[in-house]
Amino acid sequence: MVDQVSGPRGRGRSLNKVPWLIALPAVAALIGLRFLPSIVGGTFAFTDWNGADANWIGFDNFFAIFRDPTTSNALVHTFQLAGLLVVICNVLGLMLAMSLRTAFKTRNLMRAMFFLPFALSHLATGYIWQYIFQYSGPLNRILGAAGLESWQLVWLADPNWAIYTILVVLVWQYTGLTMVIYLAGLEGIPDELHDAVAMDGASPWLKFRKVTLPLLAPAITVSATLTLIYGLGAFDQVLSMTGGGPVNATETLATQVWQNTFVYGRFGYGSALALILTGLVAILSIAQVSLLRYQETRL
Amino acid sequence: MASIHLKNVGKRYPDGNRAVIDLNLDIADGDFMVLVGPSGCGKTTALRMVAGLEEISEGEIHLGGELINDVEPGKRDIAMVFQNYALYPHMSVFENIAFPLLSQGVPRAERRDRVERTAAVLGISDMLDRKPRTLSGGQRQRVAMGRAIVREPQAFLMDEPLSNLDAKLRVQMRSEISRIQAELGITTIYVTHDQVEAMTMGTRIAVMRKGVLQQEGSPEVIYGQPANLFVAAFIGSPGMNFVTAELSRRGDDLVLGIGPQELVLPPKTLAQRPALLEHESGSIVIGIRPEHLSLPPTDNSAKLKATVERSEMLGAERLLHVSISAKPVSADEIMEAAEEVSAAAPAMLQDGSKGDEVALIARIDPSIVPQPGSTVELGVGLDRLHFFDLESGRAVL
Ligand SMILES: Nc1ncnc2c1ncn2[C@@H]1O[C@H](COP(=O)(O)OP(=O)(O)OP(=O)(O)O)[C@@H](O)[C@H]1O
Ligand SMILES: [Mg+2]
């Protein structure tokens, strides 16, 4: 009441406080339920806690992780999946978005279809894909029926191929998301600019390189960062299709966190892995965002 | 440099909307053609068909004698300036102006040369490294012009390029565009709904209404000999005065009955407008431009008694609002044209002209200060009267 009669400046100040007060419970809950446990959990990374007693062992868990071929390979696989996922998803998503922007009858249906995989349960669809890729599964049967016996592979049981099979499923799952982001980005380009390009007589390639792509820069930043985070954290699909096998050929950081923590009960070791994963996601996505933002301003 | 011909051009949008109907326009090489008309009359649509941005539903468009109906916009050799400038936001001013050249594969050195020359013409040489968002409206306008000029195209198309500028800048850019167009001699189609812009810039004016061309001609003809009520009401500010009159014959003279008053038309008028005879003993619309009502009346002019309502001092002249008792004209054309001046104008027209009262505006010497409520005698330039058919709205010539 006092604030309200104390003139415009007083009112302005009270208006500024109100949003904070309203946000306070949510902020408190976020800190208490999300960040605090993570920080507490993070400290376990420096212990050998196995469910019973915990001793402070400094960085021993981290040294062990890099010495252990299973976990260091998992790190390599994680980079492989994430790197390829970012590139393939964004190229495909952009191509889909550009082709689905032009007017044709089933456009909206197609958009929905391509987005659907992202909306479905990643675990459930993982099991379906696992069935499809079985040696006697639908994929090989189709290849056989088409006379392509030489193409038949033990998709998920071949240590060389399994990780790419998983990559295919990841691409299938996340391309719809990037497509939607690029569609929104394309909608944001004003019609007048398209008209201007048409009048200037630019070829489709010049238009793409010099106008469309630069104007999509913010969308690229968002989309590339999201796919990077999804790629680094790939878990559901790996667990449901290979469980990390064959012979650890598809282990990722996320599956290793899960396995060490909840299967082997090595809580300290698992926490150290989780900390590495979190750090990677944070560092790489921040680096990527700053790099892309820098590109945006230069464009 | 080329002429542009539109032959029976029509546009039907997919929703069935007929935005342009049977448009015929011949624009000679080097002409500055202004397409003017109220909002939604199809100006932009017509322009976009010439540009190639909108498909031509009916008819043919020729550029320099060549049919361009099926030629892509970029291949028509026509440049366009858009209402919101449509500058590429991520490119510098230099890159914006250079883009059409880049599209045409002009070599780098020549690109730089031509962009710099264009920038000099427009006075934006010191802004070439800046991004459009750091420029003022007027500067953006110049960049947009630059992007069009640099190509040295066959024709310029401009769609309300000045509507986003403030009044002062608009006046300045108006003359600048005219100057550049005259210097380059490039055939131009310029769209506006501002009749002042049309009058000041155009070497030719085409007035459109509801997709139909009303009249095409030089500014003098459009202003001095409007072909119908709509053109008469639309062009001119303040607009033409309209009043319904009864035409009758008395001996050799034609007499106009305006309410209780009479104006006797000299035989000369009938000789000039033989068609008036067809309206003998009937109603007709007469139009009088504000500058053809004089106070005090000149010696040999006809006189009309009127009551002074109020006056507006404009500096070099005074607008005198008066009312006379007569039958107002409430044709759609006039209302629609008045709407362009201001949204409230039709209501004011109707308020000012209730039942048997007609509001008129006279343009008079500012040193004369008539008192509101007083009765004055206005001189009427009989040889400057315009006559229109009450039914069709067409000029009676
Ligand atoms: N894409 C479209 N689909 C259907 N109708 C349209 C389309 N574009 C314009 N129209 C209609 O066509 C008519 C003419 O539109 P146009 O834009 O050419 O008018 P304009 O004279 O340029 O008006 P303004 O002065 O407001 O710019 C309008 O009735 C408009 O509603
Ligand atoms: Mg328009």
Side-chain angles (χ1 to χ4, degrees), chain B residues 23 70 82-83 85 97 115 149 162 167 224 230 254 277 320 338 376:
Chain B
L23 179 60
D70 298 320
F82 295 87
Q83 182 169 2
Y85 318 134
I97 300 178
V115 171
I149 292 172
L162 304 184
F230 179 78
L254 272 179
L277 277 180
L320 186 66
V376 292

Side-chain angles (χ1 to χ4, degrees), chain A residues 89-105:
Chain A
C89 265
N90 283 282
V91 170
L92 282 183
L94 182 55
M95 279 163 49
L96 274 180
M98 290 186 56
S99 50
L100 290 185
R101 223 185 83 83
T102 46
F104 59 91
K105 269 214 186 83

Side-chain angles (χ1 to χ4, degrees), chain A residues 192 195 198-200 210 299, chain B residues 48 74 78 84 88 90 151:
Chain A
E192 261 199 352
D195 291 343
M199 292 307 296
D200 287 345
K210 292 284 185 182
L299 286 167
Chain B
R48 289 173 60 86
I78 293 176
N84 300 315
Y88 305 116
H90 56 290
R151 295 172 52 179

Side-chain angles (χ1 to χ4, degrees), chain B residues 13-15 17-20 37-46 54 83 159-160 191-193:
Chain B
Y13 279 112
D15 61 1
N17 198 342
R18 295 191 74 185
V20 173
S39 191
C41 73
K43 308 179 294 288
T44 298
T45 305
E54 206 71 70
Q83 182 169 2
D159 191 356
E160 313 217 13
V191 161
T192 180
H193 62 257

Side-chain angles (χ1 to χ4, degrees), chain B residues 2-240:
Chain B
S3 58
I4 303 173
H5 298 283
L6 284 78
K7 223 171 112 191
N8 309 109
V9 170
K11 176 68 189 183
R12 202 185 286 271
Y13 279 112
D15 61 1
N17 198 342
R18 295 191 74 185
V20 173
I21 301 161
D22 196 28
L23 179 60
N24 287 289
L25 270 183
D26 290 331
I27 305 163
D29 188 6
D31 261 358
F32 195 114
M33 167 68 80
V34 178
L35 274 185
V36 67
S39 191
C41 73
K43 308 179 294 288
T44 298
T45 305
L47 195 73
R48 289 173 60 86
M49 283 193 285
V50 177
L53 298 171
E54 206 71 70
E55 205 190 315
I56 301 161
S57 316
E58 299 149 13
E60 295 179 352
I61 298 183
H62 298 260
L63 176 71
E66 251 174 80
L67 184 69
I68 54 168
N69 278 40
D70 298 320
V71 180
E72 276 176 49
K75 302 238 150 68
R76 291 188 182 193
D77 201 9
I78 293 176
M80 184 154 173
V81 178
F82 295 87
Q83 182 169 2
N84 300 315
Y85 318 134
L87 298 178
Y88 305 116
H90 56 290
M91 293 184 198
S92 67
V93 169
F94 181 93
E95 290 166 321
N96 263 285
I97 300 178
F99 192 72
L101 302 180
L102 185 67
S103 302
Q104 291 162 7
V106 174
R108 174 183 293 263
E110 189 188 338
R111 277 202 313 260
R112 170 155 297 278
D113 220 50
R114 281 168 69 175
V115 171
E116 277 168 1
R117 245 185 302 139
T118 304
V121 171
L122 292 162
I124 49 174
S125 298
D126 52 342
M127 298 168 202
L128 288 176
D129 293 329
R130 286 164 65 178
K131 292 276 170 68
R133 67 167 170 277
T134 68
L135 301 179
S136 71
Q139 292 165 337
R140 285 179 207 186
Q141 178 61 59
R142 279 165 213 269
V143 178
M145 286 287 296
R147 193 170 59 182
I149 292 172
V150 77
R151 295 172 52 179
E152 294 163 17
Q154 302 276 335
F156 283 146
L157 307 179
M158 306 191 196
D159 191 356
E160 313 217 13
L162 304 184
S163 59
N164 284 343
L165 303 180
D166 62 54
K168 198 171 161 195
L169 205 51
R170 205 174 321 167
V171 174
Q172 190 187 331
M173 285 306 292
R174 220 197 261 161
S175 53
E176 193 141 337
I177 291 178
S178 297
R179 172 182 68 84
I180 292 169
Q181 192 271 342
E183 263 173 33
L184 302 176
I186 294 180
T187 315
T188 300
I189 308 183
Y190 184 104
V191 161
T192 180
H193 62 257
D194 180 345
Q195 51 95 17
V196 179
E197 249 172 51
M199 290 294 293
T200 50
M201 300 178 80
T203 58
R204 313 283 298 171
I205 297 176
V207 184
M208 290 180 69
R209 177 188 182 224
K210 295 183 177 166
V212 179
L213 178 67
Q214 305 289 306
Q215 189 177 6
E216 191 273 331
S218 68
E220 291 77 13
V221 167
I222 296 285
Y223 188 82
Q225 293 146 244
N228 58 37
L229 266 180
F230 179 78
V231 176
F234 189 79
I235 301 289
S237 172
M240 190 183 276

Side-chain angles (χ1 to χ4, degrees), chain A residues 2-4 6 9-25:
Chain A
V2 174
D3 271 356
Q4 277 188 0
S6 66
R9 196 188 289 171
R11 225 165 74 211
R13 222 183 301 143
S14 75
L15 274 179
N16 277 340
K17 261 183 266 168
V18 170
W20 280 108
L21 284 175
I22 292 172
L24 199 59

